[in-house]
Amino acid sequence: MGRLVGIDLGTTNSCLSFIEGHDPVVVPNSEGGRTTPSIVAYSEGEVLVGSVAKRQALTNPKDTVVAVKRLIGGRFDSDAVQSAIQHLSYRVREHDNGDAWVFAGGQERSPSSISAETLRALKKYAEAFLGEEVDSAVITVPAYFNDSQRQATKDAGRIAGLDVQRIINEPTAAALAYGLNAGAAKRRIAVYDLGGGTFDISILELNDGVFQVLSTNGDTFLGGEDFDRVLIDMLANHFFEKHSIDLRQDSMALQRLKESAEKAKHELSSSDSTEVQLPFIASTAEGPQHLQMTISRSAFEALSEGLVRRTMEPCEQALKDSGLSAADLDDVLLIGGMTRMPLVQRNVEAFFKREANRSINPDEAVALGAAVQAGILSGQIRDVVLLDVTPLTLAVETQGGVATPMIERNASIPCKHSMVFSTTEDNQPMVSVHVTQGERPMSDDNRTLARFELVGIPPAPRGVPQIDVRFEIDVNGIVSVSARDLGTGKEQSVRITSSSGLTEDEIQAAVEEALTHEKKDQERRDAADIFAKAKGLLYSVEKAITEYGHALEPEMLSMMEERASKMRDAIKDENATSVSALLDDLESGSHEVANAMYSSLETSNLGESEDDFEDLDI
Ligand code: ADP
Ligand code: MG
């Protein structure tokens, strides 16, 4: 069995960690970075992940997939997906089942299979670092993720060749990392996590190794990208006033604006002002135009005040749901890259009426906590218990389209609830059930998890059959449904008619595609190795011919010249098959040349040495 690791699969950055002894350790990527950009690019049949993908985004925006987590498990026509699409540089389409899929690298791909590329890269870094196979993982998700988003994340793990042993909530993971060495005393903490695309807030109680989530809330469509956009607009408006050109209409210019906006945002976290310079960003009748602008922190803060305020409403709701007031809390943890922004810190501190705890690394805490959970599962870490909650109310549609709650939000998981359904007409053979997740009073306004039919009900007067439908939320926050006919005691078959997510076939197809491209990548690497070897050999053979050709037998010389010229052509034509076929001949030929050369050199060298010895008078 391979190793179990913890993974923070972030919207912007991902991070992998594992337990060594009792402590979680972060695994660096192949470039030495402790987090890896969650960016996947398709370029000339190759799949690029992380910094390499990020670096080429400017020239390949349509096939560079950033922030795919905003789409994972989402319906194409949902408001959330529609608003995300407006700001993405790649194409998003509606898949046959109504889910949002990405069109990149010449084909339609599920967000799960794209996330799987990031997971697979992390898995490889870990395998190289640990020197052993990594085959299972604990993966974190925003606490506010619904069932489909969790399920889709789990699918991503499977596609990447990872057995996802647990899905845990990001703020809960951060609390685990924080609380591991916090002592046994009872503490109540708030975890405020503002990342690149999502916001999460959780209130927890830590008591002698028991981590109990009291409440959670958030916004899956609020994060760093929204702050970047404030700056992009500032820059674009500034340019528009001067030149009447909207840079946002030009995808290349927009990409450059995005990059500088994020850089400026980072600088404004530590400086009072920053300067943005974008030479040759557009051209007019007067020639090339440059963008230059100084942005002050106060100007940026004034325009992003509203975004920060939007995080306060979920905080208020979470506090209310936990039954606590700000004064009852012992600590507030800041997680996620955006909490480096001073305005965010000031607002959080004002809201919770205390200084925030900055002792944990905002970029790594979630992954470290995921590793702690992995340690709990593998038995390496004992005496720690995690009690999490479900973020959204699970409901069934009843008469008039009303969403009747069955499991309320913030209920501890795992949990179960059952409800008895009956028929409304005589001899009715089936009953339809519509399950939703969300806080709105009407079913249609919430997310449909499943629509299914209970079939094979024996003929009976209306209202007589009693079908017990059981809804379960497991420790991963994933919902499942089963039904039993109380009259016959038989399990009722549940036929799901409107399901989303990937089918088993689609998962298998994605796994296979990933394996094929892994094989292709390997072939490409092997070919590159062969070319490098061939070029090196050709160089030394050519050198030997020039320098020592005169000392060779004429047949040997012409044989070597012929082999070298064939190889030169094969390399020029980039013909990997010929290169590898010619390699052996050229190599054995060069050995023969070397033997011939050395046997002729040996005699003369010996002679010289003897002379030297004589000179030294030994
Ligand atoms: P995610 O959880 O979405 O993967 P992270 O927690 O890594 O995201 O946060 C990424 C976000 O944090 C990005 O929007 C990034 O620009 C922002 N960020 C990182 N460092 C800073 C900084 N010094 N100041 C302001 N924002 C920052
Ligand atoms: Mg994060």
Side-chain angles (χ1 to χ4, degrees):
M1 213 191 83
R3 190 88 173 223
L4 171 65
V5 297
I7 298 177
D8 169 10
L9 181 60
T11 309
T12 326
N13 296 299
S14 296
C15 179
L16 183 147
S17 163
F18 70 99
I19 289 290
E20 188 164 64
H22 285 280
D23 296 310
V25 178
V26 168
V27 168
N29 63 27
S30 55
E31 297 189 1
R34 295 173 68 80
T35 61
T36 298
S38 312
I39 302 181
V40 177
Y42 300 88
S43 166
E44 294 166 10
E46 237 186 308
V47 183
L48 307 172
V49 180
S51 308
V52 275
K54 191 173 185 172
R55 280 196 288 271
Q56 55 84 71
L58 199 59
T59 51
N60 183 26
K62 285 199 160 46
D63 288 319
T64 302
V65 187
V66 298
V68 74
K69 190 169 169 183
R70 282 194 179 241
L71 304 175
I72 205 165
R75 308 288 290 172
F76 181 78
D77 57 11
S78 64
D79 294 347
V81 166
Q82 286 303 315
S83 82
I85 289 177
Q86 288 170 14
H87 308 291
L88 298 174
S89 60
Y90 51 91
R91 271 168 292 176
V92 180
R93 291 184 177 171
E94 180 167 9
H95 187 56
D96 301 341
N97 64 1
D99 284 353
W101 279 37
V102 171
F103 187 85
Q107 81 186 63
E108 224 186 67
R109 300 165 194 274
S110 66
S112 295
S113 69
I114 296 170
S115 284
E117 298 292 354
T118 300
L119 290 174
R120 191 191 310 278
L122 296 174
K123 174 177 175 324
K124 278 214 184 106
Y125 303 145
E127 286 173 341
F129 187 84
L130 292 163
E132 64 179 299
E133 198 201 350
V134 168
D135 63 359
S136 45
V138 170
I139 301 182
T140 61
V141 294
Y144 220 53
F145 254 21
N146 65 27
D147 179 78
S148 328
Q149 292 166 308
R150 286 166 195 266
Q151 191 68 58
T153 303
K154 229 178 152 186
D155 291 346
R158 276 187 66 195
I159 296 170
L162 291 167
D163 172 17
V164 181
Q165 297 209 349
R166 190 67 60 87
I167 293 282
I168 63 167
N169 296 330
E170 287 159 10
T172 316
L176 273 177
Y178 156 89
L180 194 61
N181 301 311
K186 178 163 151 178
R187 259 160 206 266
R188 283 136 165 191
I189 62 168
V191 182
Y192 179 102
D193 180 354
L194 189 58
T198 56
F199 169 64
D200 256 346
I201 174 78
S202 291
I203 313 286
L204 292 99
E205 185 171 287
L206 279 50
N207 194 1
D208 198 16
V210 178
F211 289 68
Q212 180 164 21
V213 180
L214 302 176
S215 64
T216 189
N217 214 297
D219 187 336
T220 42
F221 278 85
L222 179 62
E225 286 170 19
D226 301 289
F227 292 79
D228 296 349
R229 214 162 296 126
V230 164
L231 286 170
I232 291 171
D233 288 342
M234 244 172 131
L235 293 168
N237 292 342
H238 173 79
F239 193 83
F240 189 81
E241 275 166 26
K242 277 194 164 168
H243 306 285
S244 301
I245 294 177
D246 187 356
L247 295 175
R248 285 162 294 205
Q249 302 305 321
D250 170 1
S251 69
M252 190 76 148
L254 179 61
Q255 201 63 31
R256 285 178 71 192
L257 278 181
K258 273 186 187 163
E259 276 184 12
S260 349
E262 190 176 9
K263 196 163 152 265
K265 178 182 74 174
H266 290 192
E267 281 166 10
L268 289 172
S269 289
S270 49
S271 323
D272 287 336
S273 83
T274 182
E275 175 129 342
V276 175
Q277 301 223 25
L278 287 165
F280 305 104
I281 188 92
S283 67
T284 61
E286 287 94 58
Q289 301 299 332
H290 320 297
L291 188 159
Q292 202 224 356
M293 188 184 184
T294 305
I295 303 174
S296 69
R297 183 192 286 177
S298 56
F300 176 44
E301 287 188 343
L303 289 172
S304 35
E305 189 90 56
L307 291 174
V308 180
R309 217 172 311 115
R310 265 176 64 197
T311 67
M312 294 304 147
E313 199 184 309
C315 289
E316 215 153 307
Q317 189 63 50
L319 255 188
K320 200 167 145 212
D321 288 350
S322 72
L324 301 177
S325 70
D328 297 325
L329 297 177
D330 297 294
D331 231 337
V332 176
L333 308 189
L334 294 179
I335 306 294
M338 270 315 298
T339 61
R340 292 211 176 86
M341 184 177 180
L343 177 71
V344 172
Q345 297 174 353
R346 285 205 305 276
N347 272 269
V348 175
E349 291 179 340
F351 180 88
F352 288 103
K353 302 187 180 69
R354 70 193 56 250
E355 215 174 293
N357 182 316
R358 292 190 179 80
S359 67
I360 58 172
N361 182 328
D363 300 323
E364 298 176 2
V366 171
L368 294 173
V372 171
Q373 177 62 55
I376 297 171
L377 293 177
S378 67
Q380 280 165 288
I381 293 178
R382 287 167 212 276
D383 309 322
V384 175
V385 180
L386 187 61
L387 300 171
D388 219 323
V389 297
T390 180
L392 297 160
T393 299
L394 188 71
V396 162
E397 179 174 338
T398 50
Q399 233 160 20
V402 174
T404 303
M406 286 190 311
I407 299 178
E408 302 268 2
R409 72 161 186 273
N410 292 318
S412 282
I413 52 173
C415 58
K416 286 182 191 155
H417 186 87
S418 56
M419 192 169 178
V420 175
F421 287 80
S422 191
T423 49
T424 50
E425 283 166 34
D426 292 343
N427 302 327
Q428 188 180 319
M430 58 168 228
V431 171
S432 299
V433 181
H434 179 199
V435 188
T436 64
Q437 207 171 24
E439 306 313 310
R440 307 278 295 273
M442 303 303 285
S443 280
D444 278 352
D445 298 324
N446 291 319
R447 159 95 203 202
T448 293
L449 286 192
R451 246 181 233 280
F452 57 85
E453 286 159 352
L454 303 167
V455 292
I457 301 168
R462 70 193 149 118
V464 169
Q466 293 200 330
I467 318 282
D468 182 44
V469 181
R470 182 175 288 246
F471 300 84
E472 235 180 297
I473 303 183
D474 70 7
V475 282
N476 304 307
I478 289 175
V479 182
S480 61
V481 187
S482 60
R484 207 161 59 92
D485 189 331
L486 292 180
T488 62
K490 261 204 274 184
E491 280 293 313
Q492 274 283 340
S493 63
V494 174
R495 198 166 67 203
I496 309 243
T497 52
S498 92
S499 83
S500 62
L502 297 178
T503 63
E504 191 56 33
D505 285 352
E506 283 171 327
I507 291 178
Q508 285 315 323
V511 168
E512 248 148 61
E513 204 216 306
L515 289 179
T516 318
H517 94 231
E518 201 163 73
K519 213 173 119 215
K520 269 204 218 134
D521 283 352
Q522 188 59 46
E523 281 167 8
R524 209 174 282 127
R525 267 196 299 276
D526 291 348
D529 284 350
I530 285 185
F531 273 98
K533 193 175 167 194
K535 281 182 192 162
L537 187 62
L538 182 64
Y539 172 79
S540 48
V541 166
E542 282 174 336
K543 194 160 171 262
I545 291 176
T546 324
E547 290 180 18
Y548 305 108
H550 59 273
L552 298 176
E553 296 288 332
E555 305 93 82
M556 187 170 277
L557 180 63
S558 68
M559 171 197 84
M560 284 313 293
E561 275 172 344
E562 195 196 322
R563 288 183 185 179
S565 125
K566 275 192 189 155
M567 183 60 104
R568 212 175 299 125
D569 290 345
I571 291 175
K572 206 171 108 221
D573 298 345
E574 293 181 11
N575 186 338
T577 329
S578 310
V579 168
S580 66
L582 293 167
L583 203 57
D584 279 350
D585 274 356
L586 190 63
E587 195 166 29
S588 62
S590 81
H591 289 170
E592 281 174 42
V593 173
N595 284 337
M597 262 161 30
Y598 281 112
S599 59
S600 69
L601 284 177
E602 239 162 16
T603 33
S604 59
N605 267 346
L606 274 178
E608 278 169 24
S609 311
E610 273 168 6
D611 286 351
D612 290 345
F613 287 136
E614 269 172 18
D615 283 349
L616 287 168
D617 213 13
I618 296 171

